[in-house]
Amino acid sequence: MTIESVSGEGIDTRHRPVDYGRVFTQAIDRLHAEGRYRVFIDILRNKGMFPNARCFAGHNGPKPITVWCSNDYLAMGQHPKVIAAMEEALHDVGAGSGGTRNIGGNTHYHIDLEAELAELHGKDAALLFTSGYVSNEATLATLAKVLPGCVIFSDELNHASMIAGIRNSGCEKHVFRHNDLQHLEELLAAADPAAPKLIAFESVYSMDGDVAPLHAICDLADKYNALTYLDEVHAVGMYGAHGGGISERDEAADRITIIEGTLGKAFGVMGGYIAADRMIVDVIRSYAPGFIFTTSLSPVLVAGVLASVRHLKASSVERDAQQAAAARLKALFTNAGLPVLPTTTHIVPLMVGDPVKAKKISDILLAEYGVYVQPINYPTVPRGTERLRFTPGPAHDEAMMRELTDALVEIWGRLELRQAA
């Protein structure tokens, strides 16, 4: 068959230049048509006054708003100890690290923080990365390549960064239904008994707010001689007596091979890390391109994280206040007939089920009520489960929550949306 007969135009399309602009425009148009084009909100937080902020979008000059969707769960990015530590480091050593960890960028701050994180999780060692995404992608991809014939078993709701790392490893993979132990065991039992195995899962799943059965998964890992990789990014700082996450709360940290976390959520700054046996950390340090060839975190950032980790190891005030705030908001939403997803964690998902409507609600809240919450659409969540994801923190008081609830009830009625069953 000739190109002419396929095109029907009698033109040899091999000589037609690619219209790059048209291809890119169509890609963006598809997102607009599906109602899931992402819009960045132009805001500045007010130092020491979070969740109060200023919004610069759609009007002249800054407008006061209340932020309801920050991942700085405990407002540690605003904590005086964190800010003071960062200012001190800035004036002590300057702004940047100056290089990769291997070439000039290995500061005393980095070494101290890794020791602190290893101790937090009861592990021999820890390793810093520039983000939680990089720590997941680099570690999973490298680990599976170092283990010949490795088979990875991944929860279907794992983070995109975990999926990317598993895909980039090139190893055999099996996806098990979310938190489904029976399905996981079926997959483990069917695998080659002699093959290296790794089970990758999260502790708190950030969109639904549910928790993995850590001990039960570890039991299966023991039974089938598998390593375990636990993503604790939405749990470190938030759970456990010292902020070690669900693995600390459930006394399972010693059973987990590798614990991965972030420094940009509850700890309030930036970065990611793993904590594990010293030999495993050394392997990732020595083989992972995402670690080796990246400029290390600024010592200013590391100093801030160090102050945050140390504070949350000793203080449960922020954790307790945040849990109380989340419970209060869930109760208000439930009593108002709003379709809040019941969770046992700090995540408060309000289900909408339509990307256009989710964006519309978000726009009305910001424009008319000074409330900022970002719509969550596909591919972050499955199609048909679009939602607003609220993360109340220690400083969200009851008056703010009641105003938010009243606003949502008004908008739900205005848009004739489905209420809770």
Side-chain angles (χ1 to χ4, degrees):
M1 183 179 291
T2 67
I3 292 177
E4 291 183 7
S5 64
V6 172
S7 67
E9 299 174 359
I11 299 173
D12 189 344
T13 56
R14 288 175 298 184
H15 301 296
R16 181 182 298 165
V18 176
D19 186 345
Y20 295 107
R22 180 169 171 267
V23 174
F24 296 145
T25 299
Q26 287 176 337
I28 295 299
D29 286 347
R30 285 195 298 272
L31 296 179
H32 281 291
E34 295 174 14
R36 59 187 186 93
Y37 178 76
R38 286 177 165 87
V39 177
F40 294 164
I41 304 301
D42 185 359
I43 66 172
L44 287 174
R45 300 200 291 180
N46 299 328
K47 176 174 171 278
M49 299 178 64
F50 191 75
N52 296 318
R54 294 156 281 165
C55 180
F56 294 82
H59 41 76
N60 295 322
K63 172 186 175 181
I65 62 168
T66 304
V67 178
W68 282 95
C69 56
S70 175
N71 281 342
D72 186 358
Y73 295 132
L74 303 179
M76 289 304 295
Q78 303 288 307
H79 198 284
K81 288 183 181 178
V82 174
I83 294 170
M86 295 179 75
E87 288 177 338
E88 182 181 347
L90 177 65
H91 293 292
D92 182 27
V93 301
S97 69
T100 65
R101 290 290 293 277
N102 187 50
I103 306 176
N106 183 47
T107 75
H108 192 64
Y109 289 105
H110 293 78
I111 294 170
D112 275 356
L113 179 55
E114 286 174 343
E116 200 77 34
L117 292 168
E119 195 275 335
L120 174 66
H121 294 293
K123 300 297 184 185
D124 292 339
L127 189 66
L128 292 175
F129 294 84
T130 50
S131 73
Y133 188 103
V134 175
S135 57
N136 268 334
E137 194 282 329
T139 303
L140 284 166
T142 302
L143 198 64
K145 286 178 181 177
V146 170
L147 291 168
C150 182
V151 182
I152 294 185
F153 302 84
S154 174
D155 189 287
E156 66 178 342
L157 295 188
N158 277 342
H159 279 125
S161 54
M162 300 173 75
I163 295 169
I166 294 167
R167 182 183 298 118
N168 292 341
S169 74
C171 72
E172 180 183 342
K173 67 175 180 180
H174 298 282
V175 177
F176 60 92
R177 290 186 293 271
H178 177 54
N179 279 349
D180 189 330
L181 297 171
Q182 180 178 345
H183 189 212
L184 173 58
E185 180 159 21
E186 289 171 0
L187 294 172
L188 287 164
D192 180 357
K197 301 174 186 65
L198 174 68
I199 304 172
F201 59 107
E202 300 179 29
S203 56
V204 174
Y205 288 84
S206 63
M207 291 302 129
D208 292 341
D210 57 343
V211 177
L214 303 194
H215 281 291
I217 291 175
C218 289
D219 288 343
L220 290 177
D222 291 344
K223 182 176 179 180
Y224 293 94
N225 192 29
L227 303 177
T228 48
Y229 183 98
L230 176 63
D231 177 318
E232 286 257 46
V233 298
H234 290 280
V236 290
M238 302 293 295
Y239 299 90
H242 306 96
I246 297 295
S247 57
E248 182 190 20
R249 186 198 73 177
D250 292 357
E251 299 182 347
D254 62 321
R255 304 188 67 191
I256 305 294
T257 311
I258 302 173
I259 295 175
E260 184 268 347
T262 183
L263 307 170
K265 293 183 170 64
F267 292 130
V269 189
M270 181 181 176
Y273 68 91
I274 59 167
D277 171 87
R278 190 173 302 280
M279 185 58 69
I280 291 176
V281 169
D282 200 19
V283 166
I284 303 304
R285 182 190 72 84
S286 302
Y287 283 92
F291 173 81
I292 296 170
F293 300 108
T294 300
T295 299
S296 66
L297 284 168
S298 162
V300 176
L301 297 173
V302 179
V305 175
L306 192 56
S308 182
V309 172
R310 286 172 173 168
H311 175 81
L312 290 175
K313 274 185 174 181
S315 172
S316 291
V317 172
E318 294 80 7
R319 282 189 286 277
D320 294 343
Q322 198 283 330
Q323 289 291 328
R328 189 179 303 118
L329 187 63
K330 290 174 197 174
L332 286 170
F333 282 0
T334 300
N335 293 338
L338 294 168
V340 61
L341 194 67
T343 72
T344 59
T345 62
H346 59 284
I347 308 295
V348 185
L350 193 60
M351 305 305 290
V352 180
D354 179 272
V356 176
K357 290 178 180 177
K359 179 67 166 59
K360 181 68 173 175
I361 299 167
S362 174
D363 289 345
I364 294 173
L365 283 170
L366 186 63
E368 299 182 21
Y369 291 95
V371 166
Y372 173 42
V373 60
Q374 193 73 10
I376 307 296
N377 297 325
Y378 176 85
T380 306
V381 294
R383 297 181 194 274
T385 68
E386 292 82 6
R387 66 199 67 184
L388 303 175
R389 176 181 174 272
F390 295 87
T391 53
H396 287 93
D397 60 34
E398 187 164 352
M400 291 177 179
M401 294 185 190
R402 292 192 179 278
E403 290 174 5
L404 170 63
T405 304
D406 291 343
L408 286 166
V409 168
E410 187 278 319
I411 296 168
W412 238 253
R414 188 196 312 185
L415 300 182
E416 298 180 341
L417 297 172
R418 179 183 61 84
Q419 291 190 312

